[in-house]
């Protein structure tokens, strides 16, 4: 178990650095960006961004929860309109197309509002420059992988050169799906039995908007000082 997201981020940062250093390709910080899946992914991503000396930003990818079990992801959206859905699961649960359509519109609008709010409050770029960059997507844990899939497809559509998923813990089921979407998945733990991300943390308190903004601001200030 991880003590908290910060500790998990510190451990994950080292493993990410080890992976980036192991291959023949040379990765340059000025051609890389760390994108957190908020809110929980932000404290983890902060440690990676600081360790790598890369910019940190957010990519809001929201899951579409089942009508009677909101924590169960049956789909996901991103702010630029990317939409993925687990067709087999929606059929099994008998979820109507009308429900999915309504949630899709609502969540796309919500992700756009949240991204702009966080970015403006932290005074970081409000428009992501992704083309030809190496992007490290970070979350505090991955259960089904729906939001991570939506994020990968969003970044692919924007021309990222490579997309790496970094997470402290990911289910064995999800990693198989995500290796079809990402160039690499870097994880500390891949348990075969996986019930909820929070079970792998001693402290899994909710991350609020203030913490998101503080972490984004901290990463920006550290990179500014480093570049002077």
């Amino acid at each position: 178990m991880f003590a908290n997201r910060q500790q998990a981020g510190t451990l994950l940062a080292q493993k990410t650095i080890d992976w980036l250093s192991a291959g023949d390709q040379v990765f340059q910080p000025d051609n890389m960006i760390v994108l957190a899946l908020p809110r929980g992914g932000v404290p983890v991503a902060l440690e990676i961004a600081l360790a790598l000396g890369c910019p940190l930003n957010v990519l809001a990818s929201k899951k579409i929860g089942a009508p009677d079990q909101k924590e169960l992801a049956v789909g996901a959206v991103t702010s630029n309109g990317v939409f993925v859905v687990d067709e087999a699961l929606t059929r099994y649960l008998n979820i109507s197309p009308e429900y999915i359509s309504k949630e899709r519109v609502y969540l796309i609008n919500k992700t756009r509002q949240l991204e702009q709010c966080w970015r403006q409050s932290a005074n970081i770029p409000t428009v992501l420059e992704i083309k030809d960059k190496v992007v490290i997507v970070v979350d505090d844990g991955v259960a089904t992988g729906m939001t991570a899939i939506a994020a990968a497809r969003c970044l692919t559509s924007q021309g990222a050169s490579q997309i790496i998923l970094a997470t402290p813990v990911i289910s064995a089921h999800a990693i198989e799906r995500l290796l079809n979407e990402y160039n690499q998945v870097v994880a500390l733990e891949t348990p075969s039995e996986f019930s909820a991300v929070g079970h792998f943390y001693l402290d899994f308190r909710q991350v609020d908007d203030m913490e998101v903004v503080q972490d984004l601001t901290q990463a920006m200030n550290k990179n500014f000082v480093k570049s002077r």
Side-chain angles (χ1 to χ4, degrees), residues 39-163:
R39 295 180 177 87
V42 177
V44 182
L46 172 64
E47 304 303 325
I48 296 175
L50 293 177
L52 293 174
C54 296
L56 173 64
N57 211 308
V58 287
L59 174 58
S61 179
K62 288 287 186 181
K63 66 183 173 187
I64 299 175
D68 299 323
Q69 193 177 350
K70 288 296 186 179
E71 288 303 310
L72 176 60
V74 298
V77 302
T78 64
S79 58
N80 73 340
V82 168
F83 165 66
V84 295
V85 64
D86 189 327
E87 298 284 359
L89 186 56
T90 55
R91 285 195 301 269
Y92 175 76
L93 297 174
N94 197 28
I95 299 174
S96 70
E98 291 77 16
Y99 172 82
I100 296 295
S101 178
K102 181 180 178 180
E103 288 292 294
R104 174 184 182 180
V105 172
Y106 168 73
L107 289 172
I108 288 174
N109 289 330
K110 184 175 182 178
T111 55
R112 288 173 178 168
Q113 292 169 3
L114 287 171
E115 280 185 351
Q116 290 305 304
C117 177
W118 290 325
R119 290 170 181 168
Q120 290 173 2
S121 298
N123 195 28
I124 61 176
T126 56
V127 178
L128 294 177
E129 295 183 5
I130 298 300
K131 186 173 175 57
D132 298 327
K133 287 186 178 286
V134 176
V135 183
I136 302 176
V137 177
V138 183
D139 205 353
D140 57 4
V142 178
T144 65
M146 295 303 295
T147 55
I149 290 172
R153 294 182 184 178
C154 169
L155 297 169
T156 299
S157 71
Q158 295 183 35
S161 64
Q162 289 193 58
I163 311 172

Side-chain angles (χ1 to χ4, degrees), residues 12 15-16 19-20 25 27 32-35 48 52 133-139 148 152 155 160-167 178 181-187:
L12 185 60
K15 185 159 186 177
T16 303
W19 181 82
L20 292 171
Q25 185 176 355
F27 293 92
M32 300 173 65
I33 183 170
V34 176
L35 292 182
I48 296 175
L52 293 174
K133 287 186 178 286
V134 176
V135 183
I136 302 176
V137 177
V138 183
D139 205 353
L155 297 169
S161 64
Q162 289 193 58
I163 311 172
I164 301 159
L165 176 64
T167 182
L178 290 167
E181 307 285 343
Y182 287 82
N183 297 98
Q184 180 65 28
V185 175
V186 179

